[in-house]
Amino acid sequence: MIPLSIPELAGNEWKYIKECLDTNWVSSVGAYVDRFEQHFAEFVGAKYAVATMNGTAALHISLMMAGVERGDYVIVPNITFIASVNSIKYAGASPILVDIKDDTWQMDLDLLEGFLEKNTRIENGNCIHIADGKRIKAIMPVHVLGGMCDMTRLKEIADRFYLPIVEDSTEALGSYCQDRHAGTFGELGCFSFNGNKIITTGGGGMIVTNDPELAKRAKHLTTQAKSDPFEYVHDEIGYNYRLVNVLAAMGVAQLEQLGGFLERKKEIANTYKQSLDGCADIRFQAFDPEVQSNNWLFTIRTRHQPALLAALNDNGIQSRPFWVPMNQLEMFKQDLYIHEADVSDVVYQECLSVPCSSGLTEAQLQTTIQQIESTIGQLIKTSLPNS
Ligand SMILES: *Cc1c(COP(=O)(O)O)cnc(C)c1O
């Protein structure tokens, strides 16, 4: 089988992990946690980084630190992985789901701005949703598949409506908007090192910020909010959300290879685009000119999606549909969904992700491209009489 997106562990992973085992520094503290945080902050250009056990935990803690409380609203795109919206629910808040743009598949900022202008008022520095008097407390842009919305414009909108930005940058390590790294536009940015992400620690996450107080508080909240170095005194309800040293060791080794991973991802994306451009109605994710994507998960769009998805998987080429839009999931059907058309649904129905691991061989890449071309060729031939 040609896998969709799997880890590549070809660097110092064994060596660093072995060092943890040999020295008995396997658990909650250790030099690799500090090193991983430091190297990560340097790479993205943030002042501080705090490691967490996964990206979802990073999002949950960041929303709390942004001041999100029970009964608040948080704005989030309608097309995302469920963890974004779950983290909003963990914080006791409700999502305001915003439809996406047809070309970039990111949150539609025209829709967002129109909604805020017509439906909110500012009261004592809070953005109030007029219809029910509830507070909108944060915006969570999600950098879908490593792309980004125009972050400069989003920041302007957020400032105008007194909304802190918590970036779900879990898919965007190595992505930039106007030479600034994803996750560094908002008050807080969150990353994930799950197995399918561009670098992995098996499971892991990171919070980045330029605010020393927020960084301190992130460490505090993720380590059970212990306030005394010796006595078991805790000054609030904290969480056991820290990343252990063994996994941080893996993270340090992975980070060393990130440059190579990004290059290979770019080659893979370019090969797909050059080969499939003009193949029936196949389209690709678009990027605003100021955005440089990490090409995390290569995804194509075609009205032949269902048949193509089936054919690829039947032929041992692991291929996956896009996420079911959040407004269509049972738990979120009652939540606000801001839209004109329902772009999310069309994009969901027409998109599929194809193999693009950094370890993908040239032969695997060509096999996948040929399978896509021949399947689409067949589909067009059989559908011709009706068209
Ligand atoms: C991967 C991912 C997350 C969550 O990360 P975990 O580390 O798996 O908890 C959150 N949001 C999005 C958009 C993701 O793709």
Side-chain angles (χ1 to χ4, degrees):
M1 192 194 56
I2 303 177
L4 179 68
S5 179
I6 54 165
E8 184 175 346
L9 308 168
N12 288 317
E13 289 86 356
W14 272 115
K15 184 175 155 206
Y16 296 165
I17 291 172
K18 183 169 186 305
E19 193 183 312
C20 295
L21 304 188
D22 289 344
T23 58
N24 217 22
W25 284 97
V26 293
S27 193
S28 41
V29 288
Y32 278 112
V33 175
D34 299 338
R35 240 168 99 183
F36 188 33
E37 291 176 339
Q38 204 181 326
H39 292 185
F40 195 88
E42 275 165 27
F43 183 86
V44 302
K47 288 210 180 99
Y48 308 97
V50 175
T52 59
M53 66 178 185
N54 57 49
T56 312
L59 289 168
H60 178 200
I61 291 294
S62 295
L63 286 174
M64 288 179 61
M65 290 195 297
V68 174
E69 290 175 2
R70 190 155 294 283
D72 287 337
Y73 283 120
V74 176
I75 292 164
V76 67
N78 191 42
I79 284 276
T80 183
F81 177 59
I82 192 161
S84 319
V85 187
N86 276 346
S87 70
I88 294 170
K89 291 282 185 177
Y90 300 161
S94 300
I96 293 178
L97 306 165
V98 179
D99 202 8
I100 56 165
K101 274 183 73 184
D102 187 65
D103 54 352
T104 61
W105 313 337
Q106 313 291 330
M107 179 155 60
D108 184 332
L109 299 187
D110 292 332
L111 264 182
L112 170 68
E113 192 167 30
F115 165 77
L116 289 170
E117 281 171 354
K118 287 190 213 88
N119 297 282
T120 66
R121 62 163 187 272
I122 304 299
E123 209 175 274
N124 303 324
N126 284 310
C127 180
I128 305 296
H129 183 238
I130 294 168
D132 55 17
K134 288 191 190 176
R135 185 171 70 157
I136 304 177
K137 192 52 197 146
I139 299 185
M140 181 188 283
V142 179
H143 306 315
V144 173
L145 304 178
M148 263 186 267
C149 60
D150 177 349
M151 288 303 289
T152 312
R153 179 165 173 217
L154 180 69
K155 188 91 179 81
E156 280 166 17
I157 297 172
D159 288 347
R160 204 175 127 205
F161 291 91
Y162 296 83
L163 297 168
I165 295 176
V166 173
E167 287 177 67
D168 183 339
S169 318
T170 48
E171 302 179 357
L173 178 56
S175 297
Y176 296 83
C177 181
Q178 283 176 335
D179 296 326
R180 242 169 100 177
H181 196 284
T184 64
F185 292 85
E187 277 66 15
L188 295 143
C190 302
F191 292 86
S192 164
F193 314 117
N194 186 41
N196 62 347
K197 298 299 201 290
I198 200 154
I199 67 167
T200 186
T201 57
M206 195 74 83
I207 298 170
V208 303
T209 181
N210 287 324
D211 182 331
E213 290 308 313
L214 287 180
K216 238 166 79 186
R217 190 156 152 72
K219 198 48 129 181
H220 189 61
L221 280 173
T222 53
T223 53
Q224 303 282 28
K226 189 160 175 280
S227 56
D228 187 283
F230 183 69
E231 288 259 20
Y232 291 96
V233 183
H234 307 259
D235 57 8
E236 62 185 307
I237 304 291
Y239 297 82
N240 183 10
Y241 277 1
R242 76 230 189 295
L243 187 73
V244 296
N245 201 47
V246 189
L247 298 183
M250 189 166 164
V252 171
Q254 284 273 289
L255 203 51
E256 289 169 354
Q257 301 161 79
L258 178 57
F261 293 166
L262 287 168
E263 263 173 46
R264 180 66 185 139
K265 288 272 187 192
K266 193 174 179 175
E267 276 173 15
I268 293 169
N270 285 341
T271 306
Y272 271 127
K273 284 183 192 172
Q274 279 158 16
S275 309
L276 297 175
D277 188 32
C279 175
D281 67 336
I282 288 184
R283 280 187 282 168
F284 314 108
Q285 184 180 22
F287 303 106
D288 290 335
E290 63 275 11
V291 172
Q292 188 191 325
S293 167
N294 65 355
N295 301 294
W296 169 56
L297 191 65
F298 198 78
T299 299
I300 59 181
R301 180 170 172 184
T302 165
R303 65 193 158 83
H304 303 294
Q305 188 260 22
L308 185 57
L309 193 58
L312 288 171
N313 285 300
D314 287 350
N315 284 282
I317 298 169
Q318 195 179 30
S319 169
R320 286 282 177 270
F322 219 6
W323 307 294
V324 174
M326 294 298 111
N327 73 305
Q328 296 183 22
L329 296 179
E330 209 47 59
M331 312 82 79
F332 309 134
K333 277 184 181 164
Q334 305 304 318
D335 289 303
L336 288 170
Y337 173 35
I338 311 307
H339 63 112
E340 280 167 10
D342 188 2
V343 178
S344 301
D345 188 54
V346 184
V347 168
Y348 157 61
Q349 292 198 33
E350 295 189 343
C351 282
L352 70 158
S353 305
V354 292
C356 56
S357 312
S358 48
L360 192 75
T361 65
E362 221 34 53
Q364 289 175 321
L365 184 54
Q366 290 309 324
T367 303
T368 306
I369 289 167
Q370 279 156 21
Q371 186 65 55
I372 294 171
E373 285 172 338
S374 69
T375 304
I376 293 273
Q378 287 290 327
L379 287 167
I380 288 175
K381 228 193 282 166
T382 50
S383 68
L384 264 186
N386 305 322
S387 58

